[in-house]
Amino acid sequence: MNSKKLNVVVWGENVHEHTNEVVGRLYPEGMHATIAEALRELGPELEVGTATLQEDECGLTEERLANTDVLTWWGHCAHGDVPDEIVDRVQKRVLEGMGLIVLHSGHYSKIFKRMMGTTCSLTWREAGEKERLWVCNPGHPIAQGVDKYIELEQTEMYGEPFGIPAPDEQVFVSWFEGGEVFRSGCCWNRGNGKIFYFRPGHETYPIYYDKNVRRVLINAVRWAAPQGSIWKDEAPNIPIEDAPEKIEKCGDSLHAAGEEGFK
Amino acid sequence: MNSKKLNVVVWGENVHEHTNEVVGRLYPEGMHATIAEALRELGPELEVGTATLQEDECGLTEERLANTDVLTWWGHCAHGDVPDEIVDRVQKRVLEGMGLIVLHSGHYSKIFKRMMGTTCSLTWREAGEKERLWVCNPGHPIAQGVDKYIELEQTEMYGEPFGIPAPDEQVFVSWFEGGEVFRSGCCWNRGNGKIFYFRPGHETYPIYYDKNVRRVLINAVRWAAPQGSIWKDEAPNIPIEDAPEKIEKCGDSLHAAGEEGFK
Amino acid sequence: MNSKKLNVVVWGENVHEHTNEVVGRLYPEGMHATIAEALRELGPELEVGTATLQEDECGLTEERLANTDVLTWWGHCAHGDVPDEIVDRVQKRVLEGMGLIVLHSGHYSKIFKRMMGTTCSLTWREAGEKERLWVCNPGHPIAQGVDKYIELEQTEMYGEPFGIPAPDEQVFVSWFEGGEVFRSGCCWNRGNGKIFYFRPGHETYPIYYDKNVRRVLINAVRWAAPQGSIWKDEAPNIPIEDAPEKIEKCGDSLHAAGEEGFK
Amino acid sequence: MNSKKLNVVVWGENVHEHTNEVVGRLYPEGMHATIAEALRELGPELEVGTATLQEDECGLTEERLANTDVLTWWGHCAHGDVPDEIVDRVQKRVLEGMGLIVLHSGHYSKIFKRMMGTTCSLTWREAGEKERLWVCNPGHPIAQGVDKYIELEQTEMYGEPFGIPAPDEQVFVSWFEGGEVFRSGCCWNRGNGKIFYFRPGHETYPIYYDKNVRRVLINAVRWAAPQGSIWKDEAPNIPIEDAPEKIEKCGDSLHAAGEEGFK
């Protein structure tokens, strides 16, 4: 596992960078380019590529995903433009073991809602207010190199209730100047895949240039990397003669011998 | 909450009852009718109705679901025939607070996979073998009235690995004559809704006439009933003047004042 | 279950009320008396008693605990004076099914640390600052009757990291004027018992007269009430002749037949 | 982290090896020696030592524990002989980040009950029957190199209900010839530490010579290794002048400025 580079794909919706002057000025090459650059700088052991909504198959072909260890996801205004079959494909790979890092407004992406099974709703306000992300677990790999908290001078606010399943691990909780709180760094295991949601990232502020945010991104990518073999989705019939204990058929059946199950 | 009857809808795919002679003989009125009868008998405080795939909108109109407290789900060969919009509708109601009891081959239903976010795959064998469901938590409301285990003489086997998120509570684990094990009674919270998966129920055996299985069904329905108010899916913007703490706008914005968020 | 009153015991350390003038003025009969009064007022179906550190066996005899459905716990300066055998006794009853509500500085009580297995540490500051407890799950039974948040004008601050196992359900997260956040309403299942930690309650402020805090207390007591039979701690030997499947002894043994296990 | 060897301590009660002829014959140097040898053979990157009940301070001095990354624990008849202060010390280190692997009858050890907060009870039978441990999550690092299941020809039986908090991850579930099931491979996070319970290991059978069991042991040790910095147990007061947001003291206080909190 050590000899091979970890393949990371940074996915970006890449729309506001071209339609909003502020975003275009902050991220002239696109937010995905800035995130990818941060990962390359901090993780020389990674092989980092990018993919965007505008590419064929969103840049996420079966073959490319098959070779991706960790995928990061930023989207906002065009969640609905990601075809369902791409979402199916990403979900399948996460369940097989690919790590998934969902960023900021990606909370409403099809893939995050698919993995969570919940609304992923929240409250929000765009006032350029201060956010302070507190570390809830100082020994968690994703919090390494971060002090007691991360302070961001200007952010969009996201507030509770956040419509997610109870996180397996809570890494950050945010305080906002305007009076709200938010579970801003959450971990889940799903199938073989590890999922991390990280709140910062509003496109009108230079969030992805912040050194603490970049530290969390590289930590999260390393944490989410697959640690075991692939778990394929299949529901194999175990023929009676292959039962670990010797048994004989009795009673009525629905399926003829050798028939596949319904799916 | 005590003054009003609990509304339960028993959903049945209702196909094998008409296409397979064995199933038709065991459940001449359909499996849903047998399950509904069990709930009516054991739960005089319930208002129990049924719905099937063959009805308009699968028998699950917006209005009916809005008045349903707990929905039970059995499907097998026709999972794919349930329209996605019905699945969306059921998911929405579960997240608002409706309880959901998923039975047996319902592990591969669209609604269960939707709520879990995982493959829900497993291994299986149809040999009419013995199953013993062990109680893992004797004080759990769903296990009340059940002894140390439930024994079923003839069942289809389901085996691990079961592709689910780690259950919030494990109520039953099954032993099979042929040598496998399975997490056969699992609880999850999702949004405001409670979800229980219960394994027994293969259609070629008289499982839903078993008194212990019926005991678990009524317990599960009572456990899954909503205990609080509805949680609507919405992501409200909090205008700056409504922030709990007084703040002033600074920095650039994406949204004009009063604009709705992207979804 | 409906015919019998729920027995609640409100445990109070009852020290600062007599040694600190401010506390004595706010809670002349002791904080336990104020909490008990709130529960009696809001829960006419409850049978509410109190117990204090100063009573024999801390007021928690074997017999009394055996008849207690829910115990609430407030302590601060005298955690160390609660004898270990009383802690053992309370833990045993929680695991059998008694609900446990731990309040404020009770995070460092022996019983809470015992149930959690962790340090239960946190950061703190006594500045009489504002706290806002946000509801993370508006449909949770403990949050019923509470608006989007509870605001307390003057509180002691508790801050993350809070040294607890990941909560099974997160009901409240707090915002503090001084800039910190805290997971201030957390649920866990342990054995048959339900545990709720609720942060508010510093003794120099009139917290337990607040109507929202009182609403949460009554909700929590109702939520934590046992819903099933008792689960006794025992590790029974299953004699070979009582195995569900017929087996014969083979290989060497450590224990003679009928011997008890080590504990 | 890669440059430094991982320090592993294999703790053994080391009693039955000297008092029971069968055990002595199977493990002439003690079970701890056999387990340590397995780890050394499979994990050349590890520094593996042993410690036993008979040594001073159970072989677990403050200094030694401070340098231990992962501790494995086997005990049975002498759980009560481990002094509480040693248990305190081990717990403290686990919460700081040391991994803990608890084996077989260690389910009733003081340290495991301390970390879980529950009874850790189960049912048992010593009949030399067959056990089959099924992998519930084929992609989990602890299951790597293991096929669909591990089969052990002769084992002691442990049966449900197992009195533990719901595991964060379920790696194995066991099937027993005599008809029971058991959650035989369970993961928890507590503080900064990772805990794995692994059932096999009855001392009258050559379990720790089995190559699959040894594979799980090495996987578990690697999985449980600390991945971040130490999290010290302390509850620091944050002086008002150090609050992240500027606040002023108001209201009454219990503590004088600079005073430590109660513990």
Side-chain angles (χ1 to χ4, degrees):
Chain A
M1 230 182 295
N2 290 319
S3 56
K4 171 179 159 292
K5 284 213 165 195
L6 214 59
N7 284 306
V8 182
V9 173
V10 175
W11 194 87
E13 187 181 273
N14 194 32
V15 172
H16 282 143
E17 292 91 329
H18 304 287
T19 59
N20 181 291
E21 196 225 317
V22 181
V23 185
R25 205 183 333 123
L26 282 171
Y27 298 104
E29 314 289 322
M31 301 175 81
H32 53 283
T34 303
I35 294 169
E37 178 216 292
L39 295 177
R40 279 186 206 112
E41 187 188 311
L42 294 168
E45 86 282 18
L46 309 177
E47 190 66 50
V48 183
T50 63
T52 62
L53 180 64
Q54 294 75 32
E55 297 172 41
D56 252 18
E57 306 185 40
C58 299
L60 300 171
T61 59
E62 289 275 11
E63 199 192 335
R64 189 170 193 196
L65 279 174
N67 289 306
T68 301
D69 295 301
V70 181
L71 176 68
T72 76
W73 195 277
W74 193 100
H76 191 183
C77 66
H79 292 322
D81 296 347
V82 178
D84 285 346
E85 64 181 294
I86 301 296
V87 180
D88 293 346
R89 201 182 276 178
V90 173
Q91 179 184 26
K92 181 171 161 285
R93 274 292 295 148
V94 173
L95 297 174
E96 284 175 6
M98 181 179 73
L100 178 68
I101 315 292
V102 177
L103 299 170
H104 189 62
S105 44
H107 75 92
Y108 255 175
S109 63
K110 287 185 179 179
I111 184 62
F112 189 59
K113 291 194 288 184
R114 182 75 71 81
M115 301 309 309
M116 296 291 105
T118 56
T119 64
C120 303
S121 67
L122 43 76
T123 72
W124 60 282
R125 176 176 57 235
E126 215 184 349
E129 69 200 271
K130 194 196 298 179
E131 173 180 11
R132 192 176 292 112
L133 297 104
W134 286 89
V135 174
C136 294
N137 185 338
H140 196 282
I142 294 181
Q144 298 314 297
V146 171
D147 203 353
K148 290 178 183 179
Y149 54 79
I150 298 174
E151 208 168 278
L152 299 171
E153 274 316 300
Q154 292 196 328
T155 59
E156 185 187 25
M157 181 282 290
Y158 279 6
E160 293 282 340
F162 187 16
I164 48 170
D168 293 336
E169 299 174 286
Q170 190 72 51
V171 185
F172 300 104
V173 169
S174 282
W175 177 99
F176 289 94
E177 196 179 349
E180 281 88 354
V181 295
F182 193 71
R183 286 172 286 173
S184 49
C186 305
C187 300
W188 296 268
N189 294 301
R190 287 297 181 267
N192 275 5
K194 288 171 145 181
I195 302 172
F196 181 60
Y197 174 78
F198 188 49
R199 200 206 82 83
H202 195 53
E203 60 264 52
T204 61
Y205 312 111
I207 303 287
Y208 293 122
Y209 296 100
D210 181 272
K211 91 176 158 41
N212 281 309
V213 168
R214 290 163 92 109
R215 168 55 50 199
V216 171
L217 291 177
I218 184 75
N219 287 346
V221 163
R222 286 171 177 154
W223 168 85
Q227 298 178 282
S229 56
I230 282 179
W231 182 5
K232 291 282 179 195
D233 174 20
E234 49 184 12
N237 175 260
I238 310 295
I240 293 174
E241 58 275 20
D242 293 350
E245 298 296 311
K246 200 173 168 181
I247 51 173
E248 281 178 30
K249 175 151 185 39
C250 65
D252 291 301
S253 299
L254 200 70
H255 298 272
E259 205 180 270
E260 280 216 2
F262 302 112
K263 220 170 152 169
Chain B
M1 226 180 299
N2 291 321
S3 56
K4 173 179 156 293
K5 283 214 166 194
L6 213 61
N7 284 307
V8 182
V9 173
V10 176
W11 195 86
E13 186 183 274
N14 194 30
V15 172
H16 282 143
E17 292 91 329
H18 304 287
T19 59
N20 180 292
E21 198 226 316
V22 181
V23 185
R25 206 182 331 122
L26 282 170
Y27 298 105
E29 314 289 320
M31 300 174 81
H32 53 283
T34 303
I35 293 169
E37 178 217 291
L39 294 176
R40 279 186 205 111
E41 187 189 310
L42 293 168
E45 86 281 19
L46 310 176
E47 191 64 52
V48 183
T50 63
T52 61
L53 179 65
Q54 294 75 31
E55 296 172 42
D56 253 16
E57 307 186 39
C58 298
L60 300 172
T61 61
E62 289 276 9
E63 200 193 335
R64 188 169 193 198
L65 278 174
N67 290 306
T68 301
D69 295 301
V70 181
L71 176 68
T72 75
W73 196 276
W74 193 101
H76 191 183
C77 65
H79 292 320
D81 295 347
V82 178
D84 285 347
E85 63 181 297
I86 301 297
V87 180
D88 293 345
R89 199 182 276 178
V90 173
Q91 178 184 25
K92 181 170 161 287
R93 274 292 295 147
V94 173
L95 296 174
E96 284 175 6
M98 181 179 75
L100 178 68
I101 315 292
V102 177
L103 299 170
H104 188 62
S105 44
H107 74 93
Y108 255 174
S109 63
K110 286 183 179 182
I111 184 61
F112 189 58
K113 290 193 289 185
R114 181 74 71 84
M115 301 309 307
M116 296 291 106
T118 55
T119 64
C120 303
S121 67
L122 43 74
T123 71
W124 60 282
R125 176 177 55 233
E126 216 184 349
E129 69 200 90
K130 193 195 299 179
E131 174 181 11
R132 191 176 293 112
L133 296 103
W134 287 89
V135 174
C136 295
N137 185 336
H140 196 281
I142 294 181
Q144 297 314 297
V146 170
D147 203 351
K148 291 179 184 177
Y149 55 78
I150 298 174
E151 207 168 279
L152 298 171
E153 274 315 301
Q154 291 196 328
T155 60
E156 184 186 26
M157 181 282 290
Y158 279 6
E160 293 283 343
F162 187 17
I164 48 170
D168 293 336
E169 299 175 288
Q170 191 70 54
V171 185
F172 298 105
V173 170
S174 283
W175 178 100
F176 289 95
E177 195 179 350
E180 279 88 356
V181 295
F182 193 71
R183 285 171 288 172
S184 49
C186 304
C187 299
W188 295 269
N189 294 301
R190 287 296 181 267
N192 274 5
K194 287 171 145 184
I195 302 172
F196 181 60
Y197 173 79
F198 189 49
R199 202 206 80 83
H202 195 54
E203 61 264 53
T204 61
Y205 313 110
I207 303 286
Y208 292 120
Y209 294 100
D210 180 273
K211 95 175 154 39
N212 281 309
V213 168
R214 291 162 92 108
R215 168 55 48 199
V216 171
L217 291 177
I218 185 74
N219 287 347
V221 163
R222 285 170 178 156
W223 168 85
Q227 297 178 281
S229 57
I230 281 179
W231 181 7
K232 290 282 178 193
D233 175 20
E234 49 186 10
N237 176 260
I238 310 295
I240 293 174
E241 58 274 21
D242 293 351
E245 298 295 312
K246 199 173 168 181
I247 51 173
E248 283 178 28
K249 175 151 184 39
C250 65
D252 293 300
S253 297
L254 200 71
H255 299 271
E259 207 181 271
E260 281 216 0
F262 302 112
K263 223 171 151 169
Chain C
M1 233 184 292
N2 290 321
S3 56
K4 170 180 158 295
K5 285 214 167 194
L6 213 60
N7 285 308
V8 182
V9 173
V10 175
W11 195 86
E13 185 181 275
N14 195 31
V15 173
H16 283 141
E17 293 92 329
H18 304 287
T19 59
N20 180 292
E21 196 225 318
V22 181
V23 185
R25 205 181 332 122
L26 282 169
Y27 298 105
E29 314 289 320
M31 301 174 80
H32 53 283
T34 303
I35 293 169
E37 177 217 293
L39 294 177
R40 280 186 205 111
E41 187 189 309
L42 294 168
E45 86 281 19
L46 309 176
E47 190 65 50
V48 183
T50 63
T52 60
L53 180 64
Q54 295 75 30
E55 296 171 42
D56 251 17
E57 307 186 38
C58 299
L60 301 171
T61 60
E62 288 275 10
E63 199 190 337
R64 187 167 196 200
L65 278 174
N67 289 308
T68 301
D69 294 301
V70 181
L71 176 68
T72 75
W73 194 276
W74 194 100
H76 192 183
C77 66
H79 292 321
D81 295 347
V82 178
D84 285 345
E85 63 181 295
I86 302 296
V87 180
D88 293 346
R89 200 182 276 178
V90 173
Q91 178 183 26
K92 180 171 162 283
R93 273 294 295 148
V94 173
L95 297 175
E96 284 175 5
M98 181 179 74
L100 178 69
I101 316 292
V102 177
L103 298 170
H104 189 63
S105 44
H107 74 92
Y108 255 174
S109 63
K110 286 184 181 180
I111 183 61
F112 189 57
K113 291 194 288 183
R114 181 74 71 84
M115 300 309 307
M116 296 292 107
T118 55
T119 64
C120 303
S121 66
L122 42 76
T123 71
W124 61 282
R125 177 177 56 234
E126 216 183 349
E129 68 199 274
K130 193 196 298 178
E131 174 180 12
R132 191 176 291 111
L133 296 104
W134 287 89
V135 174
C136 295
N137 185 336
H140 196 281
I142 294 181
Q144 298 313 297
V146 171
D147 203 352
K148 290 178 184 177
Y149 55 79
I150 298 174
E151 208 168 277
L152 299 171
E153 275 315 300
Q154 291 196 329
T155 59
E156 184 187 25
M157 181 283 289
Y158 278 6
E160 293 283 343
F162 187 15
I164 49 172
D168 292 338
E169 298 174 287
Q170 190 70 54
V171 185
F172 299 104
V173 170
S174 282
W175 177 100
F176 289 94
E177 197 179 349
E180 280 89 355
V181 295
F182 193 71
R183 286 172 287 172
S184 49
C186 304
C187 300
W188 296 268
N189 293 301
R190 287 297 181 268
N192 274 7
K194 287 169 144 184
I195 302 172
F196 181 60
Y197 173 78
F198 189 49
R199 201 207 80 84
H202 195 53
E203 61 263 53
T204 62
Y205 313 111
I207 303 287
Y208 293 121
Y209 295 101
D210 180 272
K211 90 174 157 43
N212 281 310
V213 168
R214 290 162 91 108
R215 167 57 48 201
V216 172
L217 291 177
I218 184 75
N219 287 347
V221 162
R222 285 170 178 154
W223 168 84
Q227 298 179 281
S229 56
I230 282 179
W231 181 6
K232 291 281 180 197
D233 175 20
E234 49 185 11
N237 175 260
I238 311 294
I240 293 176
E241 58 275 20
D242 292 352
E245 298 295 313
K246 198 173 170 180
I247 50 173
E248 281 178 29
K249 172 147 185 45
C250 64
D252 292 300
S253 299
L254 199 70
H255 298 271
E259 203 180 275
E260 281 215 3
F262 302 112
K263 222 172 153 172
Chain D
M1 228 180 298
N2 290 321
S3 57
K4 173 179 157 291
K5 284 214 165 192
L6 214 61
N7 285 307
V8 182
V9 172
V10 175
W11 195 86
E13 185 181 274
N14 194 31
V15 172
H16 282 142
E17 292 92 328
H18 304 287
T19 59
N20 180 291
E21 196 225 318
V22 180
V23 185
R25 206 183 329 124
L26 282 170
Y27 298 105
E29 313 289 321
M31 299 174 83
H32 53 284
T34 302
I35 293 169
E37 177 217 291
L39 294 177
R40 279 185 206 115
E41 186 189 309
L42 294 168
E45 87 281 18
L46 310 175
E47 191 66 50
V48 184
T50 63
T52 61
L53 179 63
Q54 293 75 31
E55 296 172 42
D56 251 16
E57 307 186 39
C58 298
L60 301 171
T61 60
E62 289 275 9
E63 199 193 336
R64 189 171 193 195
L65 278 174
N67 289 306
T68 301
D69 295 300
V70 181
L71 177 68
T72 75
W73 195 276
W74 194 100
H76 192 181
C77 67
H79 292 322
D81 295 347
V82 178
D84 284 347
E85 64 180 295
I86 301 297
V87 179
D88 293 346
R89 198 182 278 178
V90 173
Q91 179 183 26
K92 182 170 160 285
R93 274 292 296 148
V94 173
L95 297 174
E96 284 176 4
M98 181 180 73
L100 178 67
I101 316 291
V102 177
L103 299 170
H104 189 63
S105 44
H107 74 93
Y108 254 174
S109 63
K110 287 184 179 181
I111 183 61
F112 189 58
K113 291 193 288 184
R114 181 76 71 83
M115 300 310 307
M116 296 292 106
T118 54
T119 64
C120 303
S121 66
L122 43 77
T123 72
W124 60 282
R125 176 177 56 235
E126 214 183 351
E129 68 199 273
K130 194 196 298 180
E131 174 181 13
R132 191 176 293 112
L133 296 104
W134 287 89
V135 173
C136 294
N137 186 336
H140 196 282
I142 295 181
Q144 299 313 298
V146 171
D147 203 353
K148 292 178 181 177
Y149 54 79
I150 298 174
E151 209 168 279
L152 298 171
E153 275 315 300
Q154 291 196 330
T155 60
E156 185 187 25
M157 181 283 289
Y158 279 7
E160 293 282 343
F162 186 18
I164 48 170
D168 294 335
E169 298 175 285
Q170 189 71 54
V171 186
F172 299 104
V173 169
S174 283
W175 177 101
F176 289 95
E177 196 179 349
E180 280 89 354
V181 295
F182 193 72
R183 286 172 287 172
S184 49
C186 304
C187 300
W188 296 268
N189 293 301
R190 288 296 182 266
N192 275 5
K194 289 170 144 181
I195 303 172
F196 181 60
Y197 173 78
F198 189 49
R199 201 206 81 82
H202 195 54
E203 61 263 53
T204 61
Y205 312 111
I207 303 286
Y208 293 121
Y209 295 100
D210 181 272
K211 94 176 155 41
N212 281 309
V213 169
R214 291 163 90 109
R215 167 56 49 199
V216 171
L217 291 177
I218 184 75
N219 287 346
V221 163
R222 285 172 176 153
W223 169 85
Q227 299 178 280
S229 57
I230 281 178
W231 182 5
K232 290 280 179 196
D233 175 20
E234 49 186 10
N237 175 260
I238 310 295
I240 292 176
E241 58 275 20
D242 293 350
E245 298 296 311
K246 201 176 167 176
I247 51 174
E248 281 178 28
K249 174 148 186 42
C250 65
D252 292 301
S253 299
L254 199 71
H255 298 271
E259 206 181 271
E260 282 216 3
F262 301 112
K263 223 170 149 173

